[in-house]
Amino acid sequence: KRLVRLPWFSHLAFYLSAMDSLRHASPLTPADVMNVLPGLFWDHDCVMLPGLGGFVCNPRSAWYDEAKRQIVPPSRDVLFNPRLTTNDGLVANELMAKRGVVYRDALQAVEMLVERIQADLERGSTVELPGLGKLYREEDGQLRFMADVEFERMLRSFGHASIPLVARSVSVPSPVTSPVLKPEAERPLEIPSA
Protein backbone atom coordinates (compact mmCIF):
# COMPACT_ATOMS: atom_id res chain seq x y z
CA LYS A 1 0.00 0.00 0.00
CA ARG A 2 1.13 3.43 -0.81
CA LEU A 3 0.65 6.45 1.43
CA VAL A 4 -1.16 9.17 -0.41
CA ARG A 5 -0.39 12.69 0.69
CA LEU A 6 -3.06 15.27 0.21
CA PRO A 7 -2.09 18.71 -0.98
CA TRP A 8 -1.77 21.35 1.74
CA PHE A 9 -4.90 23.15 0.61
CA SER A 10 -7.08 20.13 1.40
CA HIS A 11 -5.89 20.35 5.04
CA LEU A 12 -6.66 24.04 4.97
CA ALA A 13 -10.15 23.34 3.61
CA PHE A 14 -10.78 20.84 6.41
CA TYR A 15 -9.57 23.33 9.03
CA LEU A 16 -11.72 26.13 7.63
CA SER A 17 -14.82 23.93 7.57
CA ALA A 18 -14.20 22.95 11.21
CA MET A 19 -13.79 26.60 12.20
CA ASP A 20 -16.91 27.51 10.26
CA SER A 21 -18.91 24.92 12.19
CA LEU A 22 -17.71 26.50 15.44
CA ARG A 23 -18.71 29.93 14.22
CA HIS A 24 -22.22 28.71 13.50
CA ALA A 25 -22.62 26.87 16.80
CA SER A 26 -25.73 27.70 18.75
CA PRO A 27 -25.43 31.08 20.46
CA LEU A 28 -24.45 31.12 24.11
CA THR A 29 -26.97 32.11 26.73
CA PRO A 30 -26.56 33.60 30.21
CA ALA A 31 -27.26 30.09 31.53
CA ASP A 32 -24.13 28.86 29.72
CA VAL A 33 -22.12 31.51 31.54
CA MET A 34 -23.64 30.50 34.88
CA ASN A 35 -22.68 26.88 34.24
CA VAL A 36 -18.97 27.69 34.04
CA LEU A 37 -18.75 30.21 36.90
CA PRO A 38 -18.63 27.86 39.95
CA GLY A 39 -15.82 25.75 38.48
CA LEU A 40 -13.59 28.79 38.03
CA PHE A 41 -13.19 29.15 41.80
CA TRP A 42 -11.14 25.95 42.04
CA ASP A 43 -8.24 27.57 40.19
CA HIS A 44 -8.80 31.32 40.57
CA ASP A 45 -9.07 33.62 43.57
CA CYS A 46 -10.87 36.34 41.63
CA VAL A 47 -13.65 35.88 39.08
CA MET A 48 -14.98 39.09 37.53
CA LEU A 49 -18.19 39.78 35.67
CA PRO A 50 -17.29 42.85 33.61
CA GLY A 51 -19.50 45.81 34.43
CA LEU A 52 -20.97 44.16 37.55
CA GLY A 53 -18.15 43.28 39.96
CA GLY A 54 -15.80 40.56 41.06
CA PHE A 55 -16.02 37.59 43.39
CA VAL A 56 -12.86 37.51 45.50
CA CYS A 57 -11.71 34.51 47.50
CA ASN A 58 -9.54 35.31 50.50
CA PRO A 59 -7.48 32.47 51.92
CA ARG A 60 -7.88 31.80 55.61
CA SER A 61 -5.26 29.89 57.59
CA ALA A 62 -6.15 27.09 59.95
CA TRP A 63 -7.18 28.46 63.34
CA TYR A 64 -8.27 27.38 66.79
CA ASP A 65 -11.92 27.97 67.74
CA GLU A 66 -11.76 28.59 71.48
CA ALA A 67 -15.54 28.36 71.99
CA LYS A 68 -15.88 24.98 70.26
CA ARG A 69 -12.44 23.74 71.30
CA GLN A 70 -11.49 22.59 67.83
CA ILE A 71 -8.95 23.26 65.14
CA VAL A 72 -10.61 24.57 61.99
CA PRO A 73 -8.82 23.68 58.70
CA PRO A 74 -7.66 26.25 56.15
CA SER A 75 -10.40 27.67 53.96
CA ARG A 76 -11.34 30.53 51.65
CA ASP A 77 -13.95 33.19 52.28
CA VAL A 78 -15.73 34.62 49.24
CA LEU A 79 -16.66 38.29 48.99
CA PHE A 80 -18.19 40.38 46.23
CA ASN A 81 -16.49 43.62 45.24
CA PRO A 82 -18.64 45.84 42.98
CA ARG A 83 -15.60 48.01 42.15
CA LEU A 84 -13.90 45.22 40.17
CA THR A 85 -15.65 45.88 36.88
CA THR A 86 -12.79 45.51 34.39
CA ASN A 87 -12.91 42.67 31.92
CA ASP A 88 -10.00 40.34 32.66
CA GLY A 89 -11.20 37.84 30.04
CA LEU A 90 -11.29 34.89 32.45
CA VAL A 91 -14.97 33.98 32.06
CA ALA A 92 -14.99 34.52 28.29
CA ASN A 93 -11.84 32.42 27.87
CA GLU A 94 -13.39 29.62 29.91
CA LEU A 95 -16.46 29.71 27.68
CA MET A 96 -14.23 29.55 24.61
CA ALA A 97 -12.47 26.48 25.99
CA LYS A 98 -15.64 24.69 27.14
CA ARG A 99 -17.99 25.59 24.28
CA GLY A 100 -15.61 26.11 21.38
CA VAL A 101 -16.79 29.58 20.46
CA VAL A 102 -14.89 32.69 19.46
CA TYR A 103 -14.03 35.30 22.07
CA ARG A 104 -16.52 37.87 20.74
CA ASP A 105 -19.45 35.42 21.18
CA ALA A 106 -18.26 34.38 24.63
CA LEU A 107 -17.93 37.99 25.75
CA GLN A 108 -21.38 38.78 24.35
CA ALA A 109 -22.88 35.99 26.49
CA VAL A 110 -21.13 37.37 29.60
CA GLU A 111 -22.44 40.85 28.82
CA MET A 112 -25.98 39.48 28.38
CA LEU A 113 -25.79 37.85 31.82
CA VAL A 114 -24.53 41.06 33.41
CA GLU A 115 -27.31 43.11 31.77
CA ARG A 116 -29.93 40.65 33.01
CA ILE A 117 -28.54 40.71 36.55
CA GLN A 118 -28.39 44.52 36.60
CA ALA A 119 -31.99 44.80 35.35
CA ASP A 120 -33.21 42.43 38.08
CA LEU A 121 -31.27 44.35 40.73
CA GLU A 122 -32.70 47.67 39.51
CA ARG A 123 -36.21 46.24 39.98
CA GLY A 124 -35.28 45.44 43.58
CA SER A 125 -35.10 41.69 43.04
CA THR A 126 -32.65 39.35 44.67
CA VAL A 127 -30.69 37.59 41.94
CA GLU A 128 -30.09 33.88 42.44
CA LEU A 129 -26.77 32.74 40.98
CA PRO A 130 -27.07 28.93 40.93
CA GLY A 131 -24.09 27.27 42.54
CA LEU A 132 -22.76 30.59 43.90
CA GLY A 133 -25.31 32.43 46.01
CA LYS A 134 -27.47 35.55 45.90
CA LEU A 135 -26.82 39.14 44.86
CA TYR A 136 -29.06 41.86 46.29
CA ARG A 137 -29.12 45.56 47.08
CA GLU A 138 -29.23 46.77 50.66
CA GLU A 139 -31.49 49.65 51.63
CA ASP A 140 -28.45 51.94 51.36
CA GLY A 141 -28.07 50.90 47.69
CA GLN A 142 -24.93 48.84 48.27
CA LEU A 143 -24.64 45.62 46.30
CA ARG A 144 -24.22 42.59 48.58
CA PHE A 145 -23.50 38.92 48.05
CA MET A 146 -24.55 35.99 50.22
CA ALA A 147 -22.75 32.79 49.30
CA ASP A 148 -24.71 29.57 48.84
CA VAL A 149 -24.14 27.02 51.63
CA GLU A 150 -22.89 24.39 49.17
CA PHE A 151 -20.59 26.91 47.48
CA GLU A 152 -19.11 27.89 50.85
CA ARG A 153 -18.60 24.23 51.71
CA MET A 154 -16.77 23.73 48.41
CA LEU A 155 -14.47 26.68 49.13
CA ARG A 156 -13.90 25.83 52.74
CA SER A 157 -11.87 22.89 53.83
CA PHE A 158 -11.29 20.99 50.58
CA GLY A 159 -12.59 17.85 52.29
CA HIS A 160 -10.88 18.41 55.64
CA ALA A 161 -12.98 18.39 58.77
CA SER A 162 -12.49 20.34 61.96
CA ILE A 163 -10.52 18.51 64.61
CA PRO A 164 -12.15 18.53 68.04
CA LEU A 165 -9.74 18.75 70.94
CA VAL A 166 -10.81 16.71 73.93
CA ALA A 167 -9.46 17.53 77.35
CA ARG A 168 -7.55 14.62 78.80
CA SER A 169 -6.54 14.13 82.38
CA VAL A 170 -2.86 13.49 82.69
CA SER A 171 -1.42 12.03 85.84
CA VAL A 172 2.02 13.22 86.72
CA PRO A 173 4.01 10.60 88.62
CA SER A 174 5.44 11.79 91.89
CA PRO A 175 9.21 12.01 91.90
CA VAL A 176 11.08 9.00 93.27
CA THR A 177 13.35 9.87 96.15
CA SER A 178 16.46 7.90 96.85
CA PRO A 179 19.13 8.33 99.47
CA VAL A 180 21.70 10.85 98.51
CA LEU A 181 25.13 9.33 98.30
CA LYS A 182 28.16 11.51 98.62
CA PRO A 183 30.74 11.18 95.94
CA GLU A 184 33.81 9.09 96.91
CA ALA A 185 36.04 12.10 97.32
CA GLU A 186 33.87 13.53 100.05
CA ARG A 187 33.38 10.33 102.04
CA PRO A 188 35.69 9.87 104.99
CA LEU A 189 38.21 7.19 104.40
CA GLU A 190 37.60 4.20 106.57
CA ILE A 191 40.69 2.34 107.68
CA PRO A 192 40.10 -1.17 108.87
CA SER A 193 41.52 -1.83 112.32
CA ALA A 194 44.17 -4.41 112.71
Side-chain angles (χ1 to χ4, degrees):
K1 293 184 179 180
R2 208 173 90 182
L3 181 63
V4 177
R5 293 199 175 252
L6 297 173
W8 67 270
F9 54 84
S10 64
H11 293 292
L12 180 61
F14 174 75
Y15 175 76
L16 290 176
S17 69
M19 294 309 293
D20 193 48
S21 68
L22 287 176
R23 195 164 42 98
H24 296 298
S26 61
L28 295 174
T29 65
D32 295 319
V33 179
M34 284 307 310
N35 287 336
V36 300
L37 279 180
L40 290 171
F41 289 92
W42 285 109
D43 297 321
H44 304 280
D45 288 331
C46 183
V47 177
M48 292 192 269
L49 291 175
L52 183 67
F55 298 91
V56 181
C57 294
N58 293 321
R60 186 173 184 182
S61 300
W63 57 284
Y64 178 68
D65 186 341
E66 187 81 32
K68 295 180 180 177
R69 293 185 171 189
Q70 63 184 6
I71 297 174
V72 180
S75 63
R76 295 192 301 169
D77 295 325
V78 65
L79 308 168
F80 182 78
N81 186 341
R83 293 187 181 123
L84 299 176
T85 59
T86 305
N87 178 21
D88 64 354
L90 178 67
V91 178
N93 282 318
E94 184 70 8
L95 283 167
M96 288 173 54
K98 298 270 185 196
R99 295 294 305 268
V101 296
V102 295
Y103 184 80
R104 179 180 26 116
D105 294 343
L107 185 58
Q108 186 178 13
V110 173
E111 290 168 348
M112 285 175 25
L113 174 66
V114 168
E115 288 170 9
R116 190 174 290 175
I117 290 171
Q118 287 174 331
D120 288 346
L121 290 170
E122 291 302 317
R123 286 193 298 272
S125 300
T126 296
V127 179
E128 181 74 32
L129 304 172
L132 294 178
K134 297 176 183 173
L135 273 175
Y136 59 96
R137 286 211 186 271
E138 288 281 341
E139 291 176 6
D140 62 1
Q142 291 295 317
L143 191 56
R144 302 277 188 235
F145 174 70
M146 182 169 50
D148 182 68
V149 174
E150 186 61 26
F151 180 60
E152 279 187 337
R153 188 192 65 75
M154 176 190 83
L155 291 178
R156 292 241 176 243
S157 60
F158 305 107
H160 300 283
S162 295
I163 302 169
L165 299 178
V166 180
R168 295 177 58 198
S169 62
V170 177
S171 61
V172 178
S174 58
V176 178
T177 57
S178 62
V180 178
L181 298 176
K182 291 183 180 177
E184 296 244 349
E186 292 182 20
R187 279 197 235 152
L189 186 59
E190 292 182 24
I191 303 177
S193 44

